[in-house]
Amino acid sequence: MKKLVFLFFLVISITGLSASVEIKMPSFDKKNGIHRIYFYSHDDKTEVTVVFWDEDYPNFLLDLVYDVYRFFKWGRFYDIETFFVERDKIVFPDDFCPSVDYFQIDNLHNYAGVPIEKVQKNGEKIVVYVSTWNHMFSTQPLSSVEYQNYSVKEEIEARRIDVERIFSFKHSSRLLLAVVLSLTMFVLSVLTILLKSKSKNAIFFKASTTLCALLIAVMNSSHFEWFISAGLFFGLLGDIFLENPEKFKDGMIMFLIGHILYSLGFGLKFTVPPVLIFGTIYFTLMAIYFLVLHRHLGEYKLAIFIYVLAIATMMVFSFGPLYLGVYYIGFLLPLSAGLFVFSDLCIAYDRFVRKLPARNLIILSTYFFAQWVISLSNLF
């Protein structure tokens, strides 16, 4: 009878792995938690690839250097680990570590073939523990550690190499081009800031900078992400119009449409933030409008008021990925939206209230960073 039960469990583990593998990870490291799990059935085994949002080196000061090293070595910030479930054992090729301390930094990457009968089970599920900060695996829990379970929301079939093509620019021409465009955008933004007040050619560099952001977004667009790409397109038109002082209102209209499209894209792609975010941002920007700008605007009072409402709405929806738990863009997108608001407020202050010193540096650097991050939001 025991042999029949064992054989039944083996059949389940090979044919229905998405329901039979349970990954347990320490709760205190949930910000680096599991993004997705991929499965691929070979003839005699099932390949399980786990994608983590990130991994943090135990030394905070060295973590940034470590992230840069990983980015150029692996072509990604995500951490990807793979193990195999065979008929009689689980094989960890180089990611097994029966650690006693989650933050140990030696003896990390090990091979192990653990017999199925020695692996913990939760009902029909094989239980695998994350045992170290760089996401090595173990079949035993650490003592005095609270774990959270990762449950598979959808079964995704892919091999390790297919997963690398999704997350690493070293295996994806699309991501590599996004990296190249990002570096190009940085160079063009510097040239724009340096030449803005010295040469008429600055409009070419400014438009080219925004065009790079648009191309990054378009290459990574599907479904609701096209709203974000469309927003960047109208931002490009706005950049061109704003270079002519007589076309200021036309430029505002282009950016107004862009912010509406951003709001739609962020809300549909991610989620709608709580009411507290709406209230806080609207109150803050309306206070700035009425206390700082209103009395100086003349015939532009209504137009600027509508624009402030639009950009406030965009900033509200930029918090969507933060509340959805999307790790990187979750904090970068609200930051970039805040910088976009700051840049536009500086434009209004410089035009209607008082000339700003170093206006090009202040306005353009924050604006270009904002557009770059907005374009990257299509990757997540």
Side-chain angles (χ1 to χ4, degrees):
M1 183 65 182
K2 288 184 178 180
K3 288 184 178 180
L4 288 175
V5 172
F6 181 65
L7 288 172
F8 174 76
F9 174 76
L10 287 180
V11 170
I12 293 294
S13 69
I14 297 300
T15 61
L17 257 179
S18 64
S20 61
V21 172
E22 181 176 277
I23 308 292
K24 289 179 175 282
M25 185 170 181
S27 299
F28 59 74
D29 196 27
K30 62 182 179 181
K31 73 183 181 71
N32 292 318
I34 296 171
H35 176 37
R36 286 179 192 157
I37 298 181
Y38 296 84
F39 304 89
Y40 190 84
S41 295
H42 299 269
D43 292 336
D44 58 346
K45 60 188 174 184
T46 296
E47 181 178 341
V48 183
T49 300
V50 186
V51 180
F52 299 86
W53 283 111
D54 194 6
E55 62 182 63
D56 289 335
Y57 193 81
N59 186 315
F60 174 77
L61 296 177
L62 294 178
D63 184 51
L64 178 60
V65 177
Y66 181 67
D67 281 342
V68 172
Y69 162 78
R70 288 175 55 239
F71 181 73
F72 287 102
K73 180 175 177 61
W74 304 112
R76 50 180 164 78
F77 290 114
Y78 296 92
D79 180 34
I80 301 177
E81 306 295 343
T82 300
F83 61 88
F84 298 88
V85 178
E86 300 183 1
R87 294 185 182 278
D88 58 347
K89 62 184 175 181
I90 303 181
V91 176
F92 302 92
D94 67 344
D95 48 15
F96 185 80
C97 182
S99 67
V100 294
D101 180 6
Y102 191 76
F103 298 102
Q104 74 180 52
I105 58 175
D106 56 355
N107 193 32
L108 295 173
H109 290 273
N110 301 286
Y111 168 87
V114 182
I116 285 287
E117 61 268 23
K118 292 187 178 180
V119 178
Q120 291 185 19
K121 302 172 187 68
N122 182 8
E124 295 178 350
K125 297 178 181 179
I126 300 168
V127 178
V128 176
Y129 292 90
V130 177
S131 60
T132 65
W133 57 273
N134 66 336
H135 308 132
M136 298 294 97
F137 296 116
S138 176
T139 54
Q140 298 295 325
L142 292 163
S143 61
S144 304
V145 171
E146 179 183 347
Y147 287 89
Q148 63 179 30
N149 299 341
Y150 179 84
S151 57
V152 178
K153 298 178 181 177
E154 60 176 321
E155 183 174 346
I156 309 174
E157 183 178 9
R159 299 167 299 166
R160 170 64 179 260
I161 186 60
D162 300 321
V163 176
E164 291 285 0
R165 291 191 184 106
I166 297 172
F167 295 101
S168 170
F169 73 78
K170 287 196 170 185
H171 298 272
S172 167
S173 56
R174 174 181 56 85
L175 293 179
L176 178 59
L177 184 54
V179 172
V180 171
L181 286 170
S182 295
L183 295 174
T184 304
M185 188 175 176
F186 173 76
V187 173
L188 290 171
S189 66
V190 172
L191 289 173
T192 303
I193 293 169
L194 293 175
L195 297 174
K196 184 69 169 65
S197 59
K198 300 177 182 179
S199 171
K200 293 182 179 180
N201 293 328
I203 186 173
F204 168 78
F205 293 109
K206 183 180 181 184
S208 298
T209 305
T210 311
L211 178 61
C212 287
L214 174 59
L215 291 174
I216 292 171
V218 167
M219 287 190 311
N220 297 280
S221 289
S222 62
H223 305 297
F224 303 128
E225 291 154 356
W226 285 109
F227 285 110
I228 298 173
S229 296
L232 286 162
F233 173 74
F234 280 96
L236 174 59
L237 295 180
D239 281 340
I240 295 171
F241 280 123
L242 287 181
E243 286 303 300
N244 184 348
E246 296 179 1
K247 297 290 186 179
F248 180 78
K249 187 171 289 187
D250 296 317
M252 277 185 56
I253 293 172
M254 294 300 103
F255 277 108
L256 174 68
I257 296 171
H259 291 312
I260 293 171
L261 291 166
Y262 290 148
S263 299
L264 287 170
F266 298 157
L268 293 170
K269 176 179 169 67
F270 299 112
T271 189
V272 179
V275 175
L276 179 63
I277 298 295
F278 279 84
T280 302
I281 291 176
Y282 281 129
F283 176 81
T284 301
L285 292 186
M286 285 298 104
I288 293 173
Y289 171 80
F290 284 108
L291 295 176
V292 179
L293 298 176
H294 183 264
R295 66 179 182 274
H296 301 281
L297 298 177
E299 63 175 325
Y300 282 91
K301 282 185 172 66
L302 179 60
I304 299 296
F305 178 78
I306 294 172
Y307 186 86
V308 170
L309 284 177
I311 199 170
T313 303
M314 181 277 293
M315 186 173 181
V316 166
F317 281 99
S318 73
F319 281 82
L322 179 65
Y323 284 90
L324 198 62
V326 183
Y327 183 52
Y328 301 107
I329 211 70
F331 62 88
L332 281 176
L333 194 58
L335 172 63
S336 70
L339 291 175
F340 208 140
V341 171
F342 175 77
S343 178
D344 279 359
L345 289 175
C346 286
I347 290 175
Y349 187 88
D350 180 79
R351 181 180 175 91
F352 297 107
V353 182
R354 184 181 304 163
K355 294 298 180 183
L356 285 173
R359 70 176 301 279
N360 292 332
L361 175 62
I362 295 170
I363 292 171
L364 292 175
S365 62
T366 51
Y367 167 69
F368 287 143
F369 180 81
Q371 293 288 59
W372 176 61
V373 173
I374 288 172
S375 72
L376 293 181
S377 68
N378 277 7
L379 274 72
F380 294 88

